[in-house]
Amino acid sequence: MPSPPAPLPPELGRTFHYGEARARGASPRRLRAGDLAAPHRGVRVRVAEVGREPDDPDRASRIGHAVRQRAEAYDVVRHPDAFFVGRTALALYALPLERLPGEQLSGDLLLSGGAALDVGVFAPQRAPRARGVRGVQVRPALATLRSVGGFPVTSPASTWALLAGELDAAGLTRLGDALVRIPRDERGRLLPDHRLATMEQLRAAADVPRRRGRPALYAALAQIRVGSASPLETDWRLAADAEGMPEFALDVEIRDARGALLGIADAAHHGYRVAVEIEGDHHRTDRAQWSRDIEKHAAYVAAGWEPVRLTAAHIRSGRATILLGDALRRRGWIG
């Protein structure tokens, strides 16, 4: 039976530089042992601590956690002037990726470690070349940087604009919706300081001279709205717009005649008194959520609203616009 590897020097963390380990007395043989991974030249990571994901079922959060661990490993050998861009930046911001073109596959690869990290430098520096890294050279005028979890990352608006070379207008719209969304806390209060970007910042990023993909960016800017809580909601909204339906307000507080808050609808049209709720699978599997939904929708009806409940299957099959159109016509819409 093989003996377990010798203990590593206690000063070494989960991720460490090969040279540091050697300087602290670890042998080359010990640093080749199976309990260590070598994601990049000169880097070692304790395998037992790789891939521990949070219990959060949200896919974007799990991808973000996996990418943060990989970024931490690369940070050991990252040039001080290098920064994270592209899909790596999106993951570090915990933005939803799976509804961007091709992202179902890319998201799986980001989780598994099969996709390279996107790492940029400003010209005239040469793009980094290393195992597990896709190097990108960026003109300084095209991006600004910020720190995310201690990592240098292109700003949300810069990241969005730089992806115009890879995403179509629909993908840029989904991403833009996620960036300008104003989150709410657990009590439903808006947190404007927590949103990642404003419409003005997105437009300024698109307007930078010699910006690649400017037509797609401008097309997306015309479609981006504040209030979509998920790419699925963006898909519903774009489909409804394409069918010529009246524009709905997003992320709407529904109140009764006395002003008491009944709930926060994903979308609502005050003129026709139609409220739209787009429900993920947790609305079905979480009993407490299911009970709250039943009570909330009953309160909507009592207050004179007609709730339209839509699922991913409705939206992706095109049936969502049929259901919504029926509700609007019952309320007097002619379309």
Side-chain angles (χ1 to χ4, degrees), residues 111-134:
L111 273 173
S112 68
L117 295 175
D118 293 319
V119 180
V121 293
F122 286 126
Q125 296 188 65
R126 297 179 63 181
R129 298 178 62 183
R131 183 176 62 193
V133 167
R134 184 175 77 98

Side-chain angles (χ1 to χ4, degrees), residues 84-107:
F84 295 107
V85 299
R87 286 167 169 78
T88 301
L90 297 183
L92 291 172
Y93 285 117
L95 286 164
L97 298 172
E98 65 273 13
R99 293 293 291 154
L100 298 179
E103 280 305 334
Q104 190 61 51
L105 174 62
S106 295

Side-chain angles (χ1 to χ4, degrees), residues 51-85:
R52 290 181 178 175
E53 296 180 4
D55 294 332
D56 192 335
D58 180 66
R59 180 179 173 82
S61 296
R62 291 188 288 114
I63 292 175
H65 176 78
V67 171
R68 281 192 298 275
Q69 286 196 329
R70 295 178 58 202
E72 178 187 340
Y74 181 68
D75 213 42
V76 173
V77 292
R78 178 182 60 81
H79 188 279
D81 294 335
F83 47 85
F84 295 107
V85 299

Side-chain angles (χ1 to χ4, degrees), residues 38 42 48 58 127 152 203 242 263 265 297:
D58 180 66
R203 183 166 295 281
H297 296 142

Side-chain angles (χ1 to χ4, degrees), residues 248 267-270 272-276 305-308 324 327-328 331:
F248 278 62
H269 195 290
H270 286 85
Y272 296 110
R273 305 285 282 182
V274 172
V276 175
W305 289 84
E306 179 168 350
V308 178
L324 182 59
L328 286 168
R331 293 296 178 123

